[in-house]
Amino acid sequence: MARKLLAMGNPAAGGDDEATRRAVLGVLGGGADVVFHALERPDDLDRALAEHPGREPVVLGGDGTLHRVVAALLARGELERRQVGLIPMGTGNDLARTLGIPLDPVEAARVVLDGTPRPLDLLVEDEDEDGGGGIVLNAVHVGVGAEASRRATPLKPVLRRAAYAAGALLAGVRSKGWRLRVRVDGELVADGRRRVLMVGVGNGASIGGGTPLAPGARPDDGLADVVVSYAVSPWGRLAYGVLLRLGRHPERDDVATFRGRAVVVEGEPVPANADGELCPPAPRRSWTLRPAAWRVVAPRS
């Protein structure tokens, strides 16, 4: 029997043009039974998953769309039994980069048909007093990186991948850092006395379309990579930004790295960015890693 796929994407998203979508659906339809649901309204995702419980979800989009699909599957109690396919059609596509999924959508469609399920870890945000909380598939960062994403958002339609670099420049010029305490597996690794420019928690390796936040991170090794930057002086911010793009920022004396399964960041209210989705400033956030919590179809090699 042919595999049954549920392809989903937002036709209004920047990377989803009709010609590419048709080409992708044509490839998928050559090896599977495929239906496509457009994700245009807030309830479209849950309705599509409910109407097609026996189909494998295939995301036509970027990290943000994938994030929403996996979060919906987790909320429905279906994450363990429904593997997910990914066609990178977003701006950054950072998880696809980490997994080696082709950035060409048509080639990625062939991986969905011919690849193999790969178990991946999942960072789950602990619920706050308002009952909030969420997940992280690829990476979450608080501080200047999140501020850079906020400033990059209106630039994406024009600058595409370069928007994050422009946003980072704007944020880096103005940021003075935040007083934050950071704990990794219960150990206090930043005590709040020094201002922190950025805290990154990487399940995947990169953010912002290939910026290597956690160069050594693997999304299936059972550990999150944590980066704490104290580079808050004007020249320090500039040097940190340059080395971050090159993946050499861990070499700096004012950058510390750790690995663990539980991460807590608290102190001054600070903005966050989880898988490209902006989160408002909050005084406390914490995440716990769940090993092999979900599966994505990845290249066999």
Side-chain angles (χ1 to χ4, degrees):
M1 292 180 60
R3 287 169 61 193
K4 294 184 176 181
L5 305 179
L6 170 60
M8 295 179 289
N10 182 1
D16 190 343
D17 65 272
E18 185 176 355
T20 301
R21 187 176 356 107
R22 286 182 176 178
V24 166
L25 295 176
V27 172
L28 294 177
D33 177 0
V34 183
V35 296
F36 175 76
H37 269 249
L39 304 180
E40 298 174 318
R41 297 183 299 272
D43 60 345
D44 285 342
L45 175 54
D46 274 323
R47 186 171 65 253
L49 292 172
E51 290 178 356
H52 302 282
R55 292 181 178 270
E56 301 173 25
V58 178
V59 175
L60 278 63
D63 295 316
T65 305
L66 180 64
H67 176 112
R68 290 189 288 274
V69 170
V70 173
L73 291 172
L74 178 63
R76 296 173 58 86
E78 300 174 354
L79 188 56
E80 292 185 0
R81 68 176 180 85
R82 297 180 78 171
Q83 66 186 29
V84 181
L86 175 59
I87 311 295
M89 294 175 66
T91 303
N93 303 311
D94 284 289
L95 188 60
R97 296 171 190 272
T98 293
L99 297 174
I101 294 174
L103 298 184
D104 178 86
V106 171
E107 292 298 320
R110 296 190 178 101
V111 170
V112 170
L113 296 178
D114 302 330
T116 186
R118 180 173 172 180
L120 298 183
D121 303 333
L122 184 69
L123 282 163
V124 178
E125 187 175 4
D126 300 331
E127 291 191 355
D128 57 28
E129 59 184 8
D130 298 320
I135 63 168
V136 179
L137 309 180
N138 178 62
V140 58
H141 48 99
V142 303
V144 74
E147 180 66 13
S149 298
R150 184 184 71 81
R151 293 180 178 273
T153 298
L155 304 176
K156 283 184 179 182
V158 177
L159 298 181
R160 301 287 294 158
R161 280 184 58 195
Y164 185 81
L169 178 62
L170 293 172
V173 167
R174 299 183 180 182
S175 177
K176 296 181 179 179
W178 294 261
R179 295 195 183 279
L180 301 174
R181 295 180 298 279
V182 182
R183 289 183 172 83
V184 178
D185 289 347
E187 179 184 355
L188 187 66
V189 299
D191 60 14
R193 288 180 290 184
R194 296 174 65 187
R195 287 189 175 273
V196 170
L197 181 72
M198 178 180 186
V199 179
V201 184
N203 195 33
S206 70
I207 59 173
T211 298
L213 173 68
R218 290 178 52 89
D220 57 1
D221 63 358
L223 293 170
D225 286 45
V226 182
V227 179
V228 180
S229 171
Y230 299 100
V232 296
S233 70
W235 284 111
R237 295 194 302 265
L238 177 61
Y240 176 78
V242 171
L243 292 178
L244 177 64
R245 288 294 298 173
L246 298 173
R248 294 177 50 195
H249 52 293
E251 300 173 7
R252 289 181 56 86
D253 293 338
D254 53 8
V255 174
T257 60
F258 312 90
R259 308 187 79 216
R261 290 191 174 187
V263 182
V264 179
V265 179
E266 56 188 353
E268 295 180 344
V270 60
N273 180 307
D275 295 336
E277 300 295 300
L278 292 173
C279 309
R284 187 180 191 276
R285 288 187 171 90
S286 61
W287 301 270
T288 302
L289 186 136
R290 297 184 186 178
W294 67 294
R295 293 172 298 150
V296 66
V297 181
R300 291 186 178 275
S301 58

